[in-house]
Amino acid sequence: MPDNGTDLHSRQPGLGVFHAVSCRDYASLQRDGQSYVALNVLETSDGSPECESQFTDGESFLANPETDLTPRV
């Protein structure tokens, strides 16, 4: 557990859920199914969708919002 007391594998409600689809590295797979609490849409030179998603422990990952993120309804 990080120093701030937040469970690294928290599945508490947030903006949505991260899914390791476009990136299958170890770190992404460890985050699969976790809630993200902040989202920053990024501009890319080729126009492909990309964003930065932040988790409950403050860590951020780059993600494809069309394949990797499921918003809460």
Side-chain angles (χ1 to χ4, degrees):
M1 191 176 292
D3 291 339
N4 64 5
T6 304
D7 182 356
L8 181 63
H9 300 288
S10 174
R11 298 191 190 282
Q12 67 186 1
L15 296 176
V17 178
F18 173 79
H19 302 284
V21 175
S22 67
C23 192
R24 305 288 295 168
D25 63 276
Y26 178 78
S28 295
L29 290 171
Q30 291 290 49
R31 294 285 182 174
D32 189 62
Q34 291 186 23
S35 295
Y36 60 92
V37 295
L39 191 63
N40 181 28
V41 178
L42 306 172
E43 291 187 32
T44 60
S45 60
D46 64 359
S48 61
E50 187 171 55
C51 65
E52 179 182 32
S53 56
Q54 185 179 39
F55 298 93
T56 57
D57 64 355
E59 290 289 320
S60 296
F61 275 48
L62 292 178
N64 179 330
E66 294 177 356
T67 59
D68 298 329
L69 303 177
T70 303
R72 295 228 185 269
V73 286

Short mmCIF file of all heavy atoms in Angstrom, two decimals:
data_model
loop_
_atom_site.label_atom_id
_atom_site.label_comp_id
_atom_site.label_asym_id
_atom_site.label_seq_id
_atom_site.Cartn_x
_atom_site.Cartn_y
_atom_site.Cartn_z
N MET A 1 0.84 -1.17 0.00
CA MET A 1 0.00 0.00 0.00
C MET A 1 0.89 1.24 0.00
O MET A 1 1.82 1.31 0.78
CB MET A 1 -0.91 -0.03 1.23
CG MET A 1 -1.99 1.01 1.18
SD MET A 1 -3.15 0.91 2.60
CE MET A 1 -3.96 -0.63 2.29
N PRO A 2 0.64 2.21 -0.88
CA PRO A 2 1.43 3.43 -0.90
C PRO A 2 1.33 4.20 0.42
O PRO A 2 0.43 3.97 1.23
CB PRO A 2 0.81 4.26 -2.04
CG PRO A 2 0.10 3.27 -2.89
CD PRO A 2 -0.33 2.18 -1.95
N ASP A 3 2.25 5.14 0.62
CA ASP A 3 2.30 5.92 1.86
C ASP A 3 1.01 6.67 2.16
O ASP A 3 0.69 6.93 3.30
CB ASP A 3 3.46 6.91 1.82
CG ASP A 3 4.80 6.19 1.86
OD1 ASP A 3 4.83 5.03 2.31
OD2 ASP A 3 5.79 6.79 1.45
N ASN A 4 0.27 7.06 1.11
CA ASN A 4 -0.94 7.84 1.34
C ASN A 4 -2.12 6.97 1.78
O ASN A 4 -3.22 7.47 1.97
CB ASN A 4 -1.32 8.65 0.10
CG ASN A 4 -1.68 7.79 -1.09
OD1 ASN A 4 -1.75 6.57 -0.98
ND2 ASN A 4 -1.89 8.40 -2.23
N GLY A 5 -1.91 5.66 1.91
CA GLY A 5 -2.94 4.77 2.41
C GLY A 5 -3.93 4.30 1.35
O GLY A 5 -4.86 3.58 1.64
N THR A 6 -3.72 4.67 0.09
CA THR A 6 -4.62 4.25 -0.98
C THR A 6 -4.21 2.88 -1.48
O THR A 6 -3.04 2.65 -1.79
CB THR A 6 -4.59 5.24 -2.16
OG1 THR A 6 -4.91 6.52 -1.67
CG2 THR A 6 -5.56 4.84 -3.24
N ASP A 7 -5.11 1.96 -1.54
CA ASP A 7 -4.85 0.61 -2.04
C ASP A 7 -4.52 0.69 -3.51
O ASP A 7 -5.30 1.19 -4.32
CB ASP A 7 -6.07 -0.27 -1.81
CG ASP A 7 -5.87 -1.70 -2.26
OD1 ASP A 7 -4.81 -2.03 -2.82
OD2 ASP A 7 -6.79 -2.50 -2.05
N LEU A 8 -3.34 0.19 -3.91
CA LEU A 8 -2.90 0.23 -5.30
C LEU A 8 -3.88 -0.48 -6.22
O LEU A 8 -4.04 -0.13 -7.37
CB LEU A 8 -1.52 -0.43 -5.41
CG LEU A 8 -0.87 -0.47 -6.78
CD1 LEU A 8 -0.61 0.96 -7.27
CD2 LEU A 8 0.42 -1.24 -6.74
N HIS A 9 -4.58 -1.48 -5.71
CA HIS A 9 -5.49 -2.26 -6.54
C HIS A 9 -6.95 -1.91 -6.23
O HIS A 9 -7.84 -2.73 -6.39
CB HIS A 9 -5.24 -3.75 -6.35
CG HIS A 9 -3.84 -4.12 -6.72
ND1 HIS A 9 -3.42 -4.17 -8.02
CD2 HIS A 9 -2.77 -4.41 -5.97
CE1 HIS A 9 -2.15 -4.48 -8.06
NE2 HIS A 9 -1.72 -4.63 -6.83
N SER A 10 -7.18 -0.68 -5.84
CA SER A 10 -8.52 -0.23 -5.51
C SER A 10 -9.45 -0.35 -6.70
O SER A 10 -9.09 -0.02 -7.82
CB SER A 10 -8.48 1.22 -5.03
OG SER A 10 -9.78 1.70 -4.84
N ARG A 11 -10.64 -0.80 -6.47
CA ARG A 11 -11.65 -0.87 -7.52
C ARG A 11 -12.84 0.03 -7.16
O ARG A 11 -13.95 -0.20 -7.59
CB ARG A 11 -12.09 -2.32 -7.74
CG ARG A 11 -10.94 -3.20 -8.18
CD ARG A 11 -11.41 -4.55 -8.65
NE ARG A 11 -10.31 -5.46 -8.86
CZ ARG A 11 -9.51 -5.47 -9.91
NH1 ARG A 11 -9.64 -4.59 -10.85
NH2 ARG A 11 -8.55 -6.37 -10.02
N GLN A 12 -12.54 1.07 -6.38
CA GLN A 12 -13.61 1.99 -5.98
C GLN A 12 -14.08 2.79 -7.19
O GLN A 12 -13.34 2.95 -8.16
CB GLN A 12 -13.14 2.91 -4.86
CG GLN A 12 -12.05 3.89 -5.28
CD GLN A 12 -11.52 4.66 -4.09
OE1 GLN A 12 -11.95 4.45 -2.97
NE2 GLN A 12 -10.59 5.54 -4.33
N PRO A 13 -15.30 3.30 -7.15
CA PRO A 13 -15.86 4.03 -8.29
C PRO A 13 -15.02 5.25 -8.66
O PRO A 13 -14.44 5.90 -7.82
CB PRO A 13 -17.24 4.46 -7.80
CG PRO A 13 -17.57 3.51 -6.72
CD PRO A 13 -16.27 3.16 -6.07
N GLY A 14 -14.96 5.51 -9.94
CA GLY A 14 -14.27 6.67 -10.48
C GLY A 14 -14.99 7.09 -11.74
O GLY A 14 -16.18 6.87 -11.88
N LEU A 15 -14.26 7.64 -12.68
CA LEU A 15 -14.85 8.04 -13.97
C LEU A 15 -15.16 6.84 -14.84
O LEU A 15 -16.05 6.89 -15.69
CB LEU A 15 -13.91 8.98 -14.72
CG LEU A 15 -13.62 10.32 -14.06
CD1 LEU A 15 -12.60 11.09 -14.89
CD2 LEU A 15 -14.89 11.11 -13.89
N GLY A 16 -14.41 5.77 -14.66
CA GLY A 16 -14.61 4.58 -15.48
C GLY A 16 -13.59 3.52 -15.11
O GLY A 16 -12.92 3.62 -14.09
N VAL A 17 -13.45 2.53 -15.98
CA VAL A 17 -12.57 1.40 -15.72
C VAL A 17 -11.56 1.27 -16.85
O VAL A 17 -11.89 1.39 -18.03
CB VAL A 17 -13.39 0.09 -15.59
CG1 VAL A 17 -12.48 -1.11 -15.39
CG2 VAL A 17 -14.39 0.21 -14.46
N PHE A 18 -10.30 1.02 -16.47
CA PHE A 18 -9.20 0.81 -17.43
C PHE A 18 -9.14 -0.66 -17.81
O PHE A 18 -9.26 -1.53 -16.97
CB PHE A 18 -7.88 1.24 -16.78
CG PHE A 18 -6.68 0.91 -17.61
CD1 PHE A 18 -6.32 1.71 -18.68
CD2 PHE A 18 -5.90 -0.20 -17.32
CE1 PHE A 18 -5.20 1.42 -19.44
CE2 PHE A 18 -4.79 -0.51 -18.07
CZ PHE A 18 -4.44 0.30 -19.14
N HIS A 19 -8.93 -0.91 -19.11
CA HIS A 19 -8.75 -2.27 -19.62
C HIS A 19 -7.48 -2.31 -20.46
O HIS A 19 -7.32 -1.48 -21.36
CB HIS A 19 -9.94 -2.71 -20.47
CG HIS A 19 -11.24 -2.65 -19.74
ND1 HIS A 19 -11.60 -3.60 -18.81
CD2 HIS A 19 -12.24 -1.75 -19.76
CE1 HIS A 19 -12.78 -3.28 -18.32
NE2 HIS A 19 -13.18 -2.16 -18.86
N ALA A 20 -6.60 -3.24 -20.19
CA ALA A 20 -5.34 -3.35 -20.93
C ALA A 20 -5.60 -4.04 -22.27
O ALA A 20 -5.49 -5.26 -22.38
CB ALA A 20 -4.32 -4.13 -20.11
N VAL A 21 -5.99 -3.27 -23.27
CA VAL A 21 -6.30 -3.82 -24.60
C VAL A 21 -5.21 -3.42 -25.59
O VAL A 21 -4.59 -4.27 -26.21
CB VAL A 21 -7.69 -3.35 -25.09
CG1 VAL A 21 -7.94 -3.83 -26.51
CG2 VAL A 21 -8.77 -3.83 -24.15
N SER A 22 -4.97 -2.12 -25.76
CA SER A 22 -4.00 -1.67 -26.75
C SER A 22 -2.56 -1.86 -26.29
O SER A 22 -1.65 -1.92 -27.10
CB SER A 22 -4.25 -0.20 -27.12
OG SER A 22 -3.97 0.64 -26.03
N CYS A 23 -2.35 -1.96 -25.01
CA CYS A 23 -1.02 -2.16 -24.45
C CYS A 23 -1.10 -3.34 -23.47
O CYS A 23 -1.88 -3.30 -22.52
CB CYS A 23 -0.55 -0.90 -23.74
SG CYS A 23 1.19 -0.96 -23.33
N ARG A 24 -0.30 -4.35 -23.71
CA ARG A 24 -0.38 -5.58 -22.90
C ARG A 24 0.88 -5.80 -22.07
O ARG A 24 1.22 -6.92 -21.75
CB ARG A 24 -0.62 -6.78 -23.82
CG ARG A 24 -1.82 -6.67 -24.74
CD ARG A 24 -3.11 -6.80 -24.04
NE ARG A 24 -3.24 -8.13 -23.48
CZ ARG A 24 -4.17 -8.47 -22.61
NH1 ARG A 24 -5.06 -7.60 -22.22
NH2 ARG A 24 -4.23 -9.68 -22.12
N ASP A 25 1.58 -4.72 -21.70
CA ASP A 25 2.78 -4.88 -20.88
C ASP A 25 2.38 -5.21 -19.44
O ASP A 25 1.22 -5.12 -19.06
CB ASP A 25 3.64 -3.61 -20.93
CG ASP A 25 2.90 -2.42 -20.36
OD1 ASP A 25 2.13 -1.79 -21.10
OD2 ASP A 25 3.10 -2.13 -19.17
N TYR A 26 3.36 -5.57 -18.64
CA TYR A 26 3.10 -6.01 -17.27
C TYR A 26 2.36 -4.95 -16.45
O TYR A 26 1.39 -5.26 -15.75
CB TYR A 26 4.42 -6.38 -16.59
CG TYR A 26 4.26 -6.81 -15.15
CD1 TYR A 26 3.79 -8.10 -14.85
CD2 TYR A 26 4.56 -5.94 -14.11
CE1 TYR A 26 3.62 -8.50 -13.54
CE2 TYR A 26 4.39 -6.34 -12.79
CZ TYR A 26 3.93 -7.62 -12.50
OH TYR A 26 3.76 -8.01 -11.21
N ALA A 27 2.82 -3.71 -16.52
CA ALA A 27 2.21 -2.64 -15.71
C ALA A 27 0.75 -2.42 -16.11
O ALA A 27 -0.12 -2.25 -15.26
CB ALA A 27 3.00 -1.35 -15.87
N SER A 28 0.46 -2.45 -17.41
CA SER A 28 -0.92 -2.27 -17.87
C SER A 28 -1.80 -3.43 -17.44
O SER A 28 -2.94 -3.23 -17.02
CB SER A 28 -0.96 -2.13 -19.40
OG SER A 28 -0.30 -0.96 -19.81
N LEU A 29 -1.27 -4.63 -17.52
CA LEU A 29 -2.05 -5.80 -17.11
C LEU A 29 -2.33 -5.76 -15.60
O LEU A 29 -3.40 -6.19 -15.17
CB LEU A 29 -1.32 -7.09 -17.48
CG LEU A 29 -1.25 -7.37 -18.99
CD1 LEU A 29 -0.32 -8.55 -19.26
CD2 LEU A 29 -2.64 -7.63 -19.55
N GLN A 30 -1.41 -5.21 -14.82
CA GLN A 30 -1.65 -5.08 -13.37
C GLN A 30 -2.77 -4.09 -13.09
O GLN A 30 -3.47 -4.22 -12.10
CB GLN A 30 -0.38 -4.62 -12.66
CG GLN A 30 0.70 -5.68 -12.66
CD GLN A 30 0.35 -6.85 -11.77
OE1 GLN A 30 -0.72 -7.42 -11.83
NE2 GLN A 30 1.26 -7.24 -10.94
N ARG A 31 -2.96 -3.10 -13.96
CA ARG A 31 -4.00 -2.08 -13.78
C ARG A 31 -5.34 -2.49 -14.39
O ARG A 31 -6.35 -1.82 -14.19
CB ARG A 31 -3.56 -0.77 -14.43
CG ARG A 31 -2.38 -0.13 -13.78
CD ARG A 31 -2.79 0.50 -12.49
NE ARG A 31 -1.65 1.17 -11.86
CZ ARG A 31 -1.74 1.91 -10.79
NH1 ARG A 31 -2.90 2.09 -10.20
NH2 ARG A 31 -0.68 2.47 -10.27
N ASP A 32 -5.37 -3.55 -15.17
CA ASP A 32 -6.59 -3.99 -15.85
C ASP A 32 -7.73 -4.15 -14.84
O ASP A 32 -7.59 -4.82 -13.83
CB ASP A 32 -6.33 -5.31 -16.57
CG ASP A 32 -7.47 -5.70 -17.47
OD1 ASP A 32 -7.77 -4.96 -18.42
OD2 ASP A 32 -8.08 -6.75 -17.21
N GLY A 33 -8.85 -3.49 -15.10
CA GLY A 33 -10.02 -3.59 -14.23
C GLY A 33 -10.09 -2.53 -13.14
O GLY A 33 -11.07 -2.48 -12.40
N GLN A 34 -9.07 -1.69 -13.04
CA GLN A 34 -9.06 -0.66 -12.01
C GLN A 34 -9.76 0.62 -12.47
O GLN A 34 -9.79 0.93 -13.66
CB GLN A 34 -7.63 -0.32 -11.60
CG GLN A 34 -6.96 -1.44 -10.86
CD GLN A 34 -5.60 -1.03 -10.34
OE1 GLN A 34 -5.32 0.14 -10.16
NE2 GLN A 34 -4.75 -2.01 -10.11
N SER A 35 -10.29 1.37 -11.53
CA SER A 35 -10.97 2.62 -11.82
C SER A 35 -9.96 3.72 -12.08
O SER A 35 -8.92 3.79 -11.42
CB SER A 35 -11.83 3.04 -10.64
OG SER A 35 -12.87 2.12 -10.45
N TYR A 36 -10.28 4.58 -13.04
CA TYR A 36 -9.50 5.80 -13.22
C TYR A 36 -10.35 6.96 -12.71
O TYR A 36 -11.57 6.94 -12.78
CB TYR A 36 -9.05 6.00 -14.67
CG TYR A 36 -10.15 6.10 -15.69
CD1 TYR A 36 -10.68 7.33 -16.06
CD2 TYR A 36 -10.65 4.96 -16.31
CE1 TYR A 36 -11.68 7.43 -17.00
CE2 TYR A 36 -11.66 5.05 -17.26
CZ TYR A 36 -12.16 6.29 -17.61
OH TYR A 36 -13.17 6.38 -18.54
N VAL A 37 -9.67 7.96 -12.15
CA VAL A 37 -10.37 9.06 -11.48
C VAL A 37 -10.17 10.40 -12.17
O VAL A 37 -10.83 11.38 -11.83
CB VAL A 37 -9.96 9.17 -10.00
CG1 VAL A 37 -10.41 7.93 -9.24
CG2 VAL A 37 -8.47 9.39 -9.85
N ALA A 38 -9.26 10.46 -13.14
CA ALA A 38 -9.03 11.69 -13.89
C ALA A 38 -8.64 11.31 -15.31
O ALA A 38 -8.09 10.24 -15.55
CB ALA A 38 -7.94 12.54 -13.25
N LEU A 39 -8.92 12.19 -16.24
CA LEU A 39 -8.67 11.92 -17.65
C LEU A 39 -8.22 13.19 -18.33
O LEU A 39 -8.82 14.25 -18.15
CB LEU A 39 -9.96 11.40 -18.30
CG LEU A 39 -9.87 10.83 -19.68
CD1 LEU A 39 -9.01 9.58 -19.70
CD2 LEU A 39 -11.26 10.50 -20.19
N ASN A 40 -7.16 13.09 -19.12
CA ASN A 40 -6.63 14.22 -19.87
C ASN A 40 -6.48 13.78 -21.32
O ASN A 40 -5.62 12.96 -21.63
CB ASN A 40 -5.28 14.65 -19.28
CG ASN A 40 -4.69 15.83 -20.00
OD1 ASN A 40 -5.41 16.66 -20.56
ND2 ASN A 40 -3.37 15.93 -19.99
N VAL A 41 -7.33 14.30 -22.21
CA VAL A 41 -7.26 13.96 -23.63
C VAL A 41 -6.07 14.68 -24.24
O VAL A 41 -5.87 15.88 -24.02
CB VAL A 41 -8.57 14.34 -24.35
CG1 VAL A 41 -8.48 14.04 -25.83
CG2 VAL A 41 -9.74 13.59 -23.73
N LEU A 42 -5.26 13.94 -25.00
CA LEU A 42 -4.04 14.48 -25.61
C LEU A 42 -4.19 14.62 -27.12
O LEU A 42 -4.86 13.80 -27.75
CB LEU A 42 -2.86 13.57 -25.29
CG LEU A 42 -2.62 13.26 -23.81
CD1 LEU A 42 -1.56 12.19 -23.66
CD2 LEU A 42 -2.22 14.53 -23.08
N GLU A 43 -3.53 15.62 -27.68
CA GLU A 43 -3.48 15.76 -29.13
C GLU A 43 -2.28 14.97 -29.64
O GLU A 43 -1.22 14.98 -29.03
CB GLU A 43 -3.32 17.23 -29.52
CG GLU A 43 -4.54 18.06 -29.23
CD GLU A 43 -4.40 19.47 -29.79
OE1 GLU A 43 -3.74 19.65 -30.82
OE2 GLU A 43 -4.96 20.37 -29.16
N THR A 44 -2.46 14.26 -30.74
CA THR A 44 -1.37 13.50 -31.35
C THR A 44 -1.13 14.01 -32.75
O THR A 44 -2.04 14.57 -33.39
CB THR A 44 -1.70 11.99 -31.40
OG1 THR A 44 -2.88 11.81 -32.17
CG2 THR A 44 -1.89 11.43 -30.00
N SER A 45 0.08 13.84 -33.25
CA SER A 45 0.43 14.37 -34.57
C SER A 45 -0.34 13.68 -35.71
O SER A 45 -0.61 14.29 -36.73
CB SER A 45 1.93 14.24 -34.82
OG SER A 45 2.32 12.89 -34.75
N ASP A 46 -0.72 12.43 -35.51
CA ASP A 46 -1.44 11.70 -36.56
C ASP A 46 -2.95 11.65 -36.32
O ASP A 46 -3.69 11.00 -37.05
CB ASP A 46 -0.88 10.30 -36.73
CG ASP A 46 -1.05 9.43 -35.50
OD1 ASP A 46 -1.59 9.91 -34.48
OD2 ASP A 46 -0.64 8.26 -35.56
N GLY A 47 -3.41 12.29 -35.26
CA GLY A 47 -4.84 12.33 -34.97
C GLY A 47 -5.40 11.09 -34.28
O GLY A 47 -6.60 10.99 -34.07
N SER A 48 -4.52 10.15 -33.92
CA SER A 48 -5.00 8.94 -33.24
C SER A 48 -5.44 9.29 -31.82
O SER A 48 -4.88 10.19 -31.20
CB SER A 48 -3.92 7.87 -33.23
OG SER A 48 -2.79 8.33 -32.53
N PRO A 49 -6.43 8.59 -31.31
CA PRO A 49 -6.94 8.89 -29.96
C PRO A 49 -5.93 8.47 -28.89
O PRO A 49 -5.37 7.37 -28.94
CB PRO A 49 -8.22 8.06 -29.86
CG PRO A 49 -8.02 6.95 -30.83
CD PRO A 49 -7.15 7.49 -31.93
N GLU A 50 -5.67 9.37 -27.96
CA GLU A 50 -4.78 9.06 -26.85
C GLU A 50 -5.15 9.95 -25.67
O GLU A 50 -5.54 11.10 -25.84
CB GLU A 50 -3.32 9.27 -27.23
CG GLU A 50 -2.35 8.82 -26.17
CD GLU A 50 -0.92 8.84 -26.65
OE1 GLU A 50 -0.44 9.88 -27.11
OE2 GLU A 50 -0.28 7.78 -26.56
N CYS A 51 -5.04 9.40 -24.49
CA CYS A 51 -5.32 10.19 -23.29
C CYS A 51 -4.45 9.68 -22.15
O CYS A 51 -3.86 8.60 -22.22
CB CYS A 51 -6.79 10.13 -22.92
SG CYS A 51 -7.33 8.50 -22.44
N GLU A 52 -4.38 10.48 -21.12
CA GLU A 52 -3.68 10.11 -19.91
C GLU A 52 -4.76 9.84 -18.86
O GLU A 52 -5.61 10.69 -18.62
CB GLU A 52 -2.79 11.27 -19.49
CG GLU A 52 -2.03 11.07 -18.23
CD GLU A 52 -1.22 12.30 -17.87
OE1 GLU A 52 -1.65 13.43 -18.18
OE2 GLU A 52 -0.16 12.12 -17.26
N SER A 53 -4.74 8.66 -18.29
CA SER A 53 -5.72 8.32 -17.26
C SER A 53 -5.00 8.20 -15.93
O SER A 53 -3.92 7.61 -15.85
CB SER A 53 -6.45 7.03 -17.60
OG SER A 53 -5.53 5.98 -17.80
N GLN A 54 -5.58 8.77 -14.89
CA GLN A 54 -4.97 8.74 -13.56
C GLN A 54 -5.79 7.83 -12.65
O GLN A 54 -7.02 7.88 -12.65
CB GLN A 54 -4.90 10.14 -12.97
CG GLN A 54 -4.18 10.18 -11.65
CD GLN A 54 -4.10 11.58 -11.09
OE1 GLN A 54 -5.05 12.34 -11.19
NE2 GLN A 54 -2.97 11.91 -10.50
N PHE A 55 -5.08 7.03 -11.86
CA PHE A 55 -5.70 6.08 -10.95
C PHE A 55 -5.79 6.66 -9.54
O PHE A 55 -5.27 7.73 -9.25
CB PHE A 55 -4.93 4.77 -10.97
CG PHE A 55 -4.94 4.11 -12.32
CD1 PHE A 55 -3.92 4.33 -13.22
CD2 PHE A 55 -6.00 3.31 -12.70
CE1 PHE A 55 -3.94 3.75 -14.48
CE2 PHE A 55 -6.04 2.72 -13.95
CZ PHE A 55 -5.01 2.95 -14.84
N THR A 56 -6.44 5.94 -8.66
CA THR A 56 -6.70 6.42 -7.30
C THR A 56 -5.43 6.67 -6.50
O THR A 56 -5.44 7.43 -5.55
CB THR A 56 -7.59 5.44 -6.52
OG1 THR A 56 -6.96 4.16 -6.50
CG2 THR A 56 -8.97 5.33 -7.17
N ASP A 57 -4.32 6.03 -6.88
CA ASP A 57 -3.07 6.23 -6.15
C ASP A 57 -2.21 7.34 -6.75
O ASP A 57 -1.09 7.56 -6.32
CB ASP A 57 -2.28 4.92 -6.08
CG ASP A 57 -1.84 4.41 -7.43
OD1 ASP A 57 -2.21 5.01 -8.47
OD2 ASP A 57 -1.12 3.40 -7.48
N GLY A 58 -2.74 8.04 -7.78
CA GLY A 58 -2.01 9.15 -8.38
C GLY A 58 -1.18 8.78 -9.58
O GLY A 58 -0.70 9.66 -10.30
N GLU A 59 -0.98 7.51 -9.85
CA GLU A 59 -0.21 7.07 -11.02
C GLU A 59 -1.04 7.31 -12.27
O GLU A 59 -2.27 7.17 -12.26
CB GLU A 59 0.14 5.59 -10.91
CG GLU A 59 1.15 5.28 -9.85
CD GLU A 59 2.55 5.78 -10.20
OE1 GLU A 59 2.95 5.68 -11.37
OE2 GLU A 59 3.22 6.27 -9.29
N SER A 60 -0.36 7.62 -13.37
CA SER A 60 -1.03 7.87 -14.65
C SER A 60 -0.49 6.94 -15.73
O SER A 60 0.68 6.58 -15.71
CB SER A 60 -0.82 9.31 -15.09
OG SER A 60 -1.42 10.19 -14.18
N PHE A 61 -1.37 6.56 -16.65
CA PHE A 61 -0.99 5.74 -17.80
C PHE A 61 -1.54 6.38 -19.06
O PHE A 61 -2.61 6.99 -19.04
CB PHE A 61 -1.64 4.35 -17.70
CG PHE A 61 -0.88 3.35 -16.89
CD1 PHE A 61 -0.40 3.65 -15.63
CD2 PHE A 61 -0.67 2.08 -17.38
CE1 PHE A 61 0.26 2.72 -14.87
CE2 PHE A 61 -0.01 1.14 -16.63
CZ PHE A 61 0.47 1.45 -15.39
N LEU A 62 -0.83 6.20 -20.17
CA LEU A 62 -1.37 6.58 -21.46
C LEU A 62 -2.32 5.48 -21.90
O LEU A 62 -2.07 4.29 -21.66
CB LEU A 62 -0.26 6.76 -22.49
CG LEU A 62 0.68 7.94 -22.25
CD1 LEU A 62 1.77 7.95 -23.31
CD2 LEU A 62 -0.08 9.24 -22.25
N ALA A 63 -3.40 5.87 -22.55
CA ALA A 63 -4.40 4.88 -22.97
C ALA A 63 -5.08 5.34 -24.25
O ALA A 63 -5.12 6.54 -24.55
CB ALA A 63 -5.44 4.70 -21.87
N ASN A 64 -5.61 4.39 -24.98
CA ASN A 64 -6.47 4.68 -26.11
C ASN A 64 -7.90 4.71 -25.55
O ASN A 64 -8.40 3.68 -25.12
CB ASN A 64 -6.34 3.59 -27.18
CG ASN A 64 -7.24 3.83 -28.37
OD1 ASN A 64 -8.31 4.41 -28.27
ND2 ASN A 64 -6.81 3.34 -29.51
N PRO A 65 -8.54 5.88 -25.56
CA PRO A 65 -9.87 5.96 -24.94
C PRO A 65 -10.93 5.12 -25.63
O PRO A 65 -11.93 4.77 -25.02
CB PRO A 65 -10.20 7.46 -25.03
CG PRO A 65 -9.36 7.99 -26.12
CD PRO A 65 -8.13 7.15 -26.14
N GLU A 66 -10.70 4.76 -26.89
CA GLU A 66 -11.69 3.96 -27.62
C GLU A 66 -11.62 2.49 -27.27
O GLU A 66 -12.62 1.78 -27.40
CB GLU A 66 -11.48 4.16 -29.13
CG GLU A 66 -11.78 5.59 -29.57
CD GLU A 66 -11.50 5.82 -31.04
OE1 GLU A 66 -11.00 4.90 -31.72
OE2 GLU A 66 -11.78 6.94 -31.49
N THR A 67 -10.46 2.01 -26.84
CA THR A 67 -10.32 0.57 -26.56
C THR A 67 -9.98 0.26 -25.11
O THR A 67 -10.29 -0.83 -24.63
CB THR A 67 -9.24 -0.07 -27.45
OG1 THR A 67 -7.99 0.59 -27.21
CG2 THR A 67 -9.61 0.02 -28.92
N ASP A 68 -9.32 1.18 -24.42
CA ASP A 68 -8.80 0.89 -23.08
C ASP A 68 -9.66 1.42 -21.93
O ASP A 68 -9.43 1.03 -20.79
CB ASP A 68 -7.40 1.48 -22.92
CG ASP A 68 -6.40 0.89 -23.89
OD1 ASP A 68 -6.55 -0.29 -24.27
OD2 ASP A 68 -5.47 1.61 -24.29
N LEU A 69 -10.59 2.29 -22.20
CA LEU A 69 -11.36 2.92 -21.13
C LEU A 69 -12.86 2.71 -21.32
O LEU A 69 -13.38 2.90 -22.39
CB LEU A 69 -11.08 4.43 -21.09
CG LEU A 69 -9.61 4.82 -20.92
CD1 LEU A 69 -9.48 6.34 -20.97
CD2 LEU A 69 -9.01 4.26 -19.67
N THR A 70 -13.50 2.27 -20.25
CA THR A 70 -14.95 2.13 -20.24
C THR A 70 -15.51 3.13 -19.24
O THR A 70 -15.30 2.98 -18.04
CB THR A 70 -15.35 0.70 -19.82
OG1 THR A 70 -14.75 -0.23 -20.69
CG2 THR A 70 -16.87 0.53 -19.86
N PRO A 71 -16.20 4.18 -19.73
CA PRO A 71 -16.76 5.17 -18.81
C PRO A 71 -17.88 4.58 -17.95
O PRO A 71 -18.58 3.68 -18.38
CB PRO A 71 -17.31 6.25 -19.72
CG PRO A 71 -16.88 5.91 -21.10
CD PRO A 71 -16.45 4.49 -21.11
N ARG A 72 -18.02 5.10 -16.76
CA ARG A 72 -19.15 4.71 -15.90
C ARG A 72 -20.41 5.36 -16.45
O ARG A 72 -20.37 6.47 -16.96
CB ARG A 72 -18.93 5.20 -14.47
CG ARG A 72 -17.78 4.55 -13.81
CD ARG A 72 -18.14 4.06 -12.43
NE ARG A 72 -16.97 3.55 -11.75
CZ ARG A 72 -16.57 2.29 -11.79
NH1 ARG A 72 -17.24 1.41 -12.47
NH2 ARG A 72 -15.49 1.90 -11.16
N VAL A 73 -21.51 4.66 -16.35
CA VAL A 73 -22.79 5.21 -16.83
C VAL A 73 -23.64 5.67 -15.69
O VAL A 73 -23.47 5.37 -14.57
CB VAL A 73 -23.57 4.19 -17.67
CG1 VAL A 73 -22.92 4.04 -19.02
CG2 VAL A 73 -23.67 2.86 -16.97
#
